Amino acid sequence: MGTADQPRKTSRTRRGGWLAAAVAILLAVTACGKDTQDPGTSQKRQSSANKADATKTALAEAARNLSGLISSPGPIICSSSDGGWQATAYDDTFRTRIATFSVSTLAAQLTEIAQKAGGEKAFMRNLCGGKGDAGISPVSPDGRRVAIQVDFPDSGTPTHVGWLDLGTGAFADITERSTKKGYVKETFSDKYPGFAPDGSFWFLRDSQQFLSADANGRLSPRPISLACFSNGNEETFYRPVRLAAVMCPGTVHPSGTFAADPSKVAVKLSLVAGFELDVLARKVDRFADAPIHNPLSVKVAVRDDGGLRDCTPVAWINSTDLLCAGSSNDFYTVRIDPAAARADLEYVETIEVGVKAEIAPATEATIMSIAISRDRQSLIIAASEDATASTAKLYRASLTSPSGPVELGPIPAGVGSDLAFLGNFQKTGWE
């Protein structure tokens, strides 16, 4: 009885002890495994983290600088730099820098875009267009996206276009989205991408047709205005005006209905550089649809002191005054009646206008670039005696109270070669 009342010994305690010990050993082994992990894996993780941080920093810097540029009230100078090109905004005196952007900031992203697309090079077009004209902008109006073109080593391989979102770092390859694979393949070659004032993304497809894409990548065909049209100017910069591509960006009238197209004008037995008043409403869907001869337009010649004077149209100062560049690096304005632009001509019609005001006299200096202030009150001129930026000087000439150019000083420090202004016709609000 006494023996029977003693507590019965079981193996439960022993099994629990062994289980706890086993778990402890397993945890210890796991911890040791973590401590002895391949150092190469840790380094790779750290490298990836560093790369992600660098990408985030570069995108944020690019977005900040581009937003500063496009919102700048003053002139912008673009020039070549070691990393490609750079653009800097200044105050009206060119003494204070407001914002600067260098395309080298996006060098790593451009390389990655090209590699993923299988291309040789991805690039963002110079903000000033290389010529300081008012062509399609490579930056969206909100400064968040930049237009990218990807070229391939094989000239027969289609080029791609799309945009880089500076907020997310994602590249939207619009060309790749259009590609059809499978039994019937279809590929496209796209180029000259940019953004219209409404934020839509435009480009030229197969050197024939302009398309625009909304923020979701949905495509819409866009016509080509016959104003300033020639069969070779698909390689010039264009400007979206009323949902059509116009090939003379800088000379579109404020009304958006016609443009001043540089042309030779015959006056009796003389042939002078003048311009035509081309109506924008005449359009074609593709370059191949263009007529052999452009529609008739009113031709304009400038007569001064009884003789004829060359005029290459530069920009509209207002709804009636057009700025002309003469043949000797001179600038002057003429007054044009907008009603003279007509599309119902049955024969060639030529009109003559006089000089309204002399803006800048003839000079032997090289005019490197010009810009019109955003308030359209002044003409800014960069001129050099030996055609180099190092000796160039800046001048300002009034467009409203002409009295000759006033020297502002030398080109600001840090501006490289191949300088060009953005500001000739920027932010006009005439779209």
Side-chain angles (χ1 to χ4, degrees), residues 406-418:
V406 175
E407 183 176 328
L408 298 176
I411 294 292
V415 175
S417 59
D418 301 322

Side-chain angles (χ1 to χ4, degrees), residues 311-317 321-325 331-334 359 370 372 379 399:
C311 170
T312 299
V314 176
W316 293 92
I317 306 306
D321 294 354
L322 179 68
L323 179 66
C324 288
F331 295 93
Y332 62 95
T333 57
V334 296
I359 305 300
I370 62 172
I372 295 175
L379 172 66
L399 294 170

Side-chain angles (χ1 to χ4, degrees), residues 16 59 83 88 98 116 124 132 161 173 187 225 290 320 323 339 366 408 412-413:
L59 293 173
T88 304
I98 297 176
K116 288 185 176 179
M124 172 186 174
V161 298
D173 191 331
T187 59
S225 173
T320 59
L323 179 66
T366 299
L408 298 176

